[in-house]
Amino acid sequence: MERVLARLCDIVGARATGAAGVRADHGRSEAYHAARPPDLVVFPETTQEVAAIVALCRDLRLPLVPFGAGTSLEGNTAAPHGGVCLDMGRMDRVLAVNAEDMDVRVQPGITRKQLNAQLRDTGLFFPIDPGADASIGGMTSTRASGTMAVRYGTMKDNVLALEVVLADGRVIRTARRARKSAAGYDLTRLFVGAEGTLGVITEVTLKLHPQPDAISSAVCAFPDLKAAVDTAIAIIQSGVPVARIELLDAVMIQGINLHARLDLPEMPHLFFEFHGSRAYAAEQAETAQALAGEFGGLGFQWATTTEERSRLWHARDNTLYAGLALRPGARALITDVCVPISRLAECLVATAADIAETGLIAPVVGHVGDGNFHLLVLLDPESPEEMARARAFNDRLVLRALALDGTCTGEHGIGLGKMDFLALELGEAVDVMRAVKGALDPLGLMNPGKIFRPTPSSDGEQP
């Protein structure tokens, strides 16, 4: 590794290190998985540096793990085979804003909040909000979505083109800036969600959206979980273009009251946000409020000022820390599933019963407008019994979602944690993924050990 470090320093100077503290910071994340640090960490600043690092790792047969903001939840950036971590944080520039075409070209290390701060004077914004201030490259690699996906879509809907360094050192562009194209395979979406296993993203061209003239936010309490979910389904099926519709169960409300010093009643809640002209946003809100009343909603509590809205959504974005406030010293096994919205109430009610029977503390928060919900299973990290109970619960949750024609992960990706579930979900399609991986990364160096397990060799050993 000392010789490798010297070679890396020839490419990037002092921006390569083997310091134990830096390595440790790049081996852990918000995930419950054990820390897996790399052997070395390097901080490139240009596509040319990335290409040179990739070529060096190929020549030396070293694993290569891209790293964004470290907010992934399934061990996506862990380094189970060691190797070199590519921290993209210094590649954080806006390269071109095309306001007339409503798109922007950025480097992957810029975070979504940094991007929107730089777009503020253009009248445009980038709406994908996974909660954490994640990097655009990381959001692209995990096909992120979040609270506003119900109106604006996910990363796959908002990425127009990519620049990618392939495992052999070639630099490719997957598309031009045109809003639609029928030119060949859709390579852009091949790399969106690939978790760095096919190449290293070095530029991202994104769609932008007009900043809304008016934004209004509200919360509404419900007598039970089913009533809240049925309201969300009715609002979506009625065609109300709500910008955000988020579910928090009674346990999560207790957590955010503790963490954010709110005083909401400890009942299931829906958090709403409406975008548009003042008249249009008001019309949306009026329709949503009427539908909520039909399902027992206890009335909208409005956040009328910018400060109130910011406080409300800051509390929602920090549900991880709010959940941890319910059990100081605990860690969270964070998981998510997604089902068709017509099956969401069934899935959530069965999951709530499973939580109660298992005796776990597992607050729920969900992007219910698209059938996606998350759980924070709070556990003592030193207790093998609690971890086993939590893992068994997670297994049942995913199998329940798959039985309802859902997916094992709506947002978090596969990473280290859900490889076996991917095989259950997609069957032989996983072999097609392996074939793509083998074609683009025949040495298996790009973020190895993620998404799917290698095919066993003839003697049963893992390569």
Side-chain angles (χ1 to χ4, degrees):
M1 284 300 118
E2 290 181 2
R3 291 194 296 272
V4 176
L5 180 58
R7 297 278 297 275
L8 289 170
C9 289
D10 289 340
I11 299 170
V12 300
R15 288 180 279 114
T17 180
V22 178
R23 292 172 49 236
D25 286 343
H26 290 78
R28 58 174 174 251
S29 65
E30 301 288 3
Y32 62 91
H33 305 280
R36 308 280 186 88
D39 294 306
L40 300 170
V41 181
V42 61
F43 298 83
E45 293 182 346
T46 66
T47 297
Q48 291 72 30
E49 288 182 349
V50 172
I53 294 163
V54 170
L56 176 64
C57 288
R58 176 200 61 205
D59 293 343
L60 300 178
R61 304 298 194 264
L62 284 172
L64 191 66
V65 182
F67 185 95
T71 56
S72 60
L73 295 171
E74 286 292 353
N76 315 70
T77 58
H81 303 287
V84 176
C85 174
L86 263 177
D87 187 316
M88 308 301 284
R90 289 176 179 258
M91 295 181 68
D92 62 352
R93 292 189 297 128
V94 173
L95 300 173
V97 178
N98 303 293
E100 299 86 352
D101 297 320
M102 295 196 297
D103 66 57
V104 63
R105 184 163 57 93
V106 302
Q107 291 182 309
I110 193 169
T111 69
R112 64 176 185 88
K113 290 182 180 180
Q114 290 170 340
L115 174 58
N116 278 323
Q118 295 192 46
L119 292 172
R120 189 170 291 122
D121 294 336
T122 68
L124 303 169
F125 82 121
F126 182 66
I128 308 304
D129 176 5
D133 189 20
S135 70
I136 294 298
M139 290 169 63
T140 302
S141 292
T142 53
R143 203 182 313 159
S145 49
T147 60
M148 286 197 271
V150 64
R151 174 158 183 170
Y152 297 100
T154 72
M155 286 300 288
K156 74 177 178 63
D157 305 303
N158 288 277
V159 175
L160 290 171
L162 297 170
E163 180 185 80
V164 182
V165 178
L166 299 180
D168 61 8
R170 284 180 295 165
V171 181
I172 66 166
R173 287 191 176 274
T174 62
R176 301 294 184 94
R177 287 196 300 117
R179 285 296 173 114
K180 63 180 182 179
S181 171
Y185 295 162
D186 190 346
L187 294 181
T188 302
R189 281 163 184 78
L190 176 63
F191 288 97
V192 174
E195 300 185 27
T197 61
L198 301 178
V200 181
I201 295 170
T202 51
E203 286 186 13
V204 187
T205 303
L206 299 166
K207 291 180 185 177
L208 299 177
H209 298 262
Q211 295 175 10
D213 292 335
I215 300 174
S216 56
S217 298
V219 296
C220 182
F222 290 85
D224 55 54
L225 205 57
K226 186 176 186 302
V229 176
D230 287 343
T231 298
I233 293 171
I235 289 171
I236 298 302
Q237 293 178 339
S238 298
V240 178
V242 61
R244 306 197 223 198
I245 180 167
E246 297 288 295
L247 169 72
L248 285 76
D249 75 347
V251 181
M252 183 58 82
I253 291 295
Q254 181 184 356
I256 69 167
N257 280 344
L258 288 170
H259 180 72
R261 293 185 172 84
L262 300 180
D263 58 355
L264 298 172
E266 292 180 3
M267 304 167 67
H269 276 68
L270 290 178
F271 283 38
F272 297 93
E273 187 165 278
F274 307 94
H275 291 180
S277 67
R278 293 188 182 280
Y280 189 47
E283 181 183 348
Q284 296 173 46
E286 183 178 331
T287 302
Q289 188 165 6
L291 288 168
E294 293 180 14
F295 291 95
L298 303 182
F300 275 29
Q301 180 178 331
W302 292 96
T304 55
T305 67
T306 301
E307 291 75 17
E308 288 173 340
R309 285 199 307 272
S310 177
R311 185 181 180 207
L312 186 68
W313 290 106
H314 181 75
R316 162 59 190 86
D317 285 345
N318 284 276
T319 47
L320 168 58
Y321 307 107
L324 291 172
L326 294 168
R327 187 178 177 184
R331 286 202 67 186
L333 187 158
I334 307 169
T335 188
D336 83 315
V337 294
C338 187
V339 297
I341 61 167
S342 63
R343 312 302 297 272
L344 180 60
E346 178 183 354
C347 190
L348 271 168
V349 169
T351 299
D354 194 354
I355 293 169
E357 184 175 339
T358 310
L360 295 167
I361 302 174
V364 176
V365 58
H367 314 308
V368 287
D370 45 24
N372 180 209
F373 66 94
H374 309 252
L375 293 102
L376 284 68
V377 185
L378 304 179
L379 50 88
D380 177 358
E382 304 302 321
S383 170
E385 184 276 331
E386 282 196 29
M387 178 60 80
R389 198 153 34 109
R391 287 183 181 274
F393 166 77
N394 185 45
D395 290 353
R396 294 192 299 275
L397 169 70
V398 174
L399 294 175
R400 185 179 304 121
L402 294 180
L404 297 174
D405 208 15
T407 176
C408 65
T409 174
E411 293 186 337
H412 299 174
I414 297 298
L416 294 170
K418 290 191 171 175
M419 289 184 280
D420 295 331
F421 297 126
L422 180 67
L424 283 174
E425 181 174 331
L426 297 178
E428 291 187 6
V430 177
D431 292 334
V432 178
M433 296 182 191
R434 285 195 180 99
V436 173
K437 169 75 169 173
L440 293 181
D441 181 23
L443 298 176
L445 301 177
M446 306 301 291
N447 204 9
K450 313 296 170 59
I451 299 187
F452 45 76
R453 303 186 192 283
T455 304
S457 60
S458 58
D459 61 2
E461 292 297 316
Q462 295 289 343

